[in-house]
Amino acid sequence: LVSYNAMVAVYAQTGHLHDSKRVFDDMPVHDLISFNAIAGAYSHTGHLQDAKEMFDTLPERDLVSWTGMLTAYTRSGHLQDAKGIFCDMPQRDIVSWTAMLTAYARLGYLESAKSMFDSIPQRDCVCWSAMISVYGQKGQIDGAKRVFEDMPERNMVSWSSMLAAYAQNGHLNDAKVLFESMPYRDLMTWTTMLTVLTEEDRVDDARVLFDEMPQRDIVTWTAMLAAYTRNGHLENAKHLFDRIPQLNQICCNAMLDAYAQNSQLKEALEMFHKIHERDVACWSVMIYAYAHNGHLDLARKVLETMPERNIASWGAMLSGYSLTGHFLRVFEVLDLFRLIECPDSVCFVAIFGACNYIGKMEAGRQWFLSMIMDYKVEPT
RNA sequence: UUGGAGGAUAGGCGA
């Protein structure tokens, strides 16, 4: 039973749902660990419904089952359900507290995340590191640094979280200093440093680092590809892409983006069609590609065809219209989403452009006030 | 043997 469970778990962790399920179905008896493991497989592969069904039909549930379900909801963006699970679970421990902390942060409730953190009695390295990451994702470097310095002991992930917090918020020098002083480095921290070099437009140094890295994985390859794209080296990007050992959805998106940024519409479209499981980013790149090559109508069609939209997809369309002088279209599209999605700073740049162009300075001022008061978007 | 924390891709400005 232990070996079977271990196999289910290994396949689950590597995202091989079918193999995981096959082993699960083949095993003679199941215990709670097997059920939890297969539920985790569903959750890891984004099959929220199946995970929930498994959870609901469990004859008994332990802390692992409850926390697993909490995480499944968090991963799929169902924060209210995550909170419901947290409230309903009969006991909680440091793992579930940390899971809930992360869930709050995802929803944007930094304060709730913080008070959850503060209320954890015996904090371990994981919840400290989670808190660093929360501050980092919120752009609050000082908070991240304070947590990092306050924690009683640090592990690989703590250092790595702090490094990522610096890198993702443009504190490139701090990132470099921290990297030099790190007691350990691994694939993830190396990759973070690759993105730091990229942001500094040191693409050649990035390539040297890439070549010298002791290991590379798909994330590293994609980071290098993005480095070439950012610096306009389409040929190098193509070359690199052809050498990637195992393609995934994200690196294909990155290549699609390389074509889009370089106005290679035909190649972009070709790549788009090669991608079968398209996510929001993939579709949004196509909006960008069309909008920046004079095909506003096709961009709009993509916007309307894509299965789901987020603020970046709306923003791509808005910017496309604004930059090409289709100012009435800006407001037309804005009306399509402003009640369901909060416009962000990119959207407002497009809106102000539209207002200025058609001479409606007063309307622009109103939008500016509304941005701050109603939408809580800070001017940048 | 099952649950919690870190790295890559999309929109304006910048580059």
Side-chain angles (χ1 to χ4, degrees), chain A residues 320-377:
Chain A
Y321 278 138
S322 187
L323 293 169
T324 51
H326 294 75
F327 298 107
L328 295 178
R329 296 287 190 196
V330 170
F331 295 105
E332 181 188 286
V333 171
L334 180 64
D335 279 336
L336 293 177
F337 76 88
R338 55 191 276 203
L339 295 181
I340 49 173
E341 194 106 49
C342 180
D344 65 4
S345 57
V346 176
C347 297
F348 280 108
V349 169
I351 293 168
F352 300 145
C355 289
N356 289 341
Y357 185 85
I358 54 182
K360 298 200 170 175
M361 303 302 284
E362 184 51 32
R365 244 189 303 278
Q366 293 299 326
W367 273 109
F368 188 77
L369 292 176
S370 174
M371 172 179 88
I372 296 166
M373 307 300 292
D374 304 334
Y375 296 103
K376 312 281 183 223
V377 174

Side-chain angles (χ1 to χ4, degrees), chain A residues 35-48:
Chain A
F35 288 122
N36 287 340
I38 192 70
Y42 287 132
S43 162
H44 272 111
T45 51
H47 293 74
L48 176 67

Side-chain angles (χ1 to χ4, degrees), chain A residues 162-173:
Chain A
M162 193 61 231
L163 182 70
Y166 281 138
Q168 287 159 2
N169 292 283
H171 294 235
L172 306 182
N173 266 319

Side-chain angles (χ1 to χ4, degrees), chain A residues 232-249:
Chain A
H233 299 174
L234 179 61
E235 285 308 315
N236 289 332
K238 263 198 275 197
H239 205 82
L240 192 83
F241 182 75
D242 290 335
R243 290 183 45 218
I244 299 182
Q246 283 261 4
L247 299 178
N248 72 1
Q249 146 87 60

Side-chain angles (χ1 to χ4, degrees), chain A residues 46-294:
Chain A
H47 293 74
L48 176 67
Q49 274 315 316
D50 295 304
K52 182 177 185 327
E53 217 161 276
M54 181 62 63
F55 178 81
D56 287 341
T57 54
L58 281 181
E60 50 170 343
R61 295 169 194 146
D62 62 3
L63 259 172
V64 175
S65 333
W66 284 96
T67 312
M69 198 59 226
L70 200 171
T71 308
Y73 278 130
T74 304
R75 272 202 271 261
S76 54
H78 295 75
L79 284 310
Q80 287 309 324
D81 294 310
K83 198 175 173 190
I85 290 287
F86 183 76
C87 296
D88 289 346
M89 55 197 296
Q91 314 105 32
R92 295 163 199 96
D93 65 359
I94 188 150
V95 176
S96 40
W97 286 321
T98 308
M100 193 60 223
L101 184 163
T102 305
Y104 276 135
R106 287 268 179 94
L107 220 150
Y109 295 147
L110 180 59
E111 285 309 315
S112 307
K114 171 129 184 35
S115 45
M116 172 82 12
F117 176 77
D118 289 336
S119 70
I120 298 177
Q122 306 223 345
R123 291 176 209 140
D124 65 3
C125 215
V126 174
C127 73
W128 281 96
S129 304
M131 205 57 217
I132 295 175
S133 190
V134 165
Y135 278 121
Q137 281 156 20
K138 290 267 165 282
Q140 303 202 10
I141 287 297
D142 295 340
K145 195 169 173 221
R146 206 178 49 241
V147 175
F148 181 73
E149 282 167 355
D150 285 351
M151 60 193 294
E153 53 193 35
R154 305 178 186 97
N155 66 6
M156 182 69 237
V157 178
S158 332
W159 285 92
S160 174
S161 305
M162 193 61 231
L163 182 70
Y166 281 138
Q168 287 159 2
N169 292 283
H171 294 235
L172 306 182
N173 266 319
D174 292 324
K176 280 192 281 192
V177 170
L178 188 77
F179 185 72
E180 290 307 322
S181 65
M182 285 174 69
Y184 4 66
R185 291 168 194 155
D186 69 0
L187 181 55
M188 293 192 188
T189 49
W190 286 102
T191 307
T192 302
M193 286 317 291
L194 203 161
T195 67
V196 168
L197 293 174
T198 302
E199 298 234 347
E200 291 179 319
D201 290 324
R202 294 165 55 190
V203 67
D204 294 334
D205 294 335
R207 180 61 196 234
V208 170
L209 178 64
F210 179 81
D211 287 332
E212 285 176 348
M213 284 173 64
Q215 317 108 31
R216 283 162 220 115
D217 67 4
I218 186 62
V219 176
T220 324
W221 283 92
T222 311
M224 192 61 232
L225 183 56
Y228 281 135
T229 301
R230 188 188 156 87
N231 292 273
H233 299 174
L234 179 61
E235 285 308 315
N236 289 332
K238 263 198 275 197
H239 205 82
L240 192 83
F241 182 75
D242 290 335
R243 290 183 45 218
I244 299 182
Q246 283 261 4
L247 299 178
N248 72 1
Q249 146 87 60
I250 295 184
C251 71
C252 291
N253 284 354
M255 193 60 228
L256 172 66
D257 185 46
Y259 288 127
Q261 300 285 344
N262 289 278
S263 298
Q264 306 288 308
L265 245 193
K266 193 166 143 278
E267 285 81 359
L269 196 57
E270 233 164 66
M271 179 60 61
F272 180 76
H273 283 123
K274 277 188 200 150
I275 301 176
H276 295 297
E277 293 186 6
R278 299 173 189 133
D279 63 4
V280 196
C282 178
W283 288 93
S284 302
V285 174
M286 282 314 293
I287 295 180
Y288 172 92
Y290 279 132
H292 284 255
N293 287 282

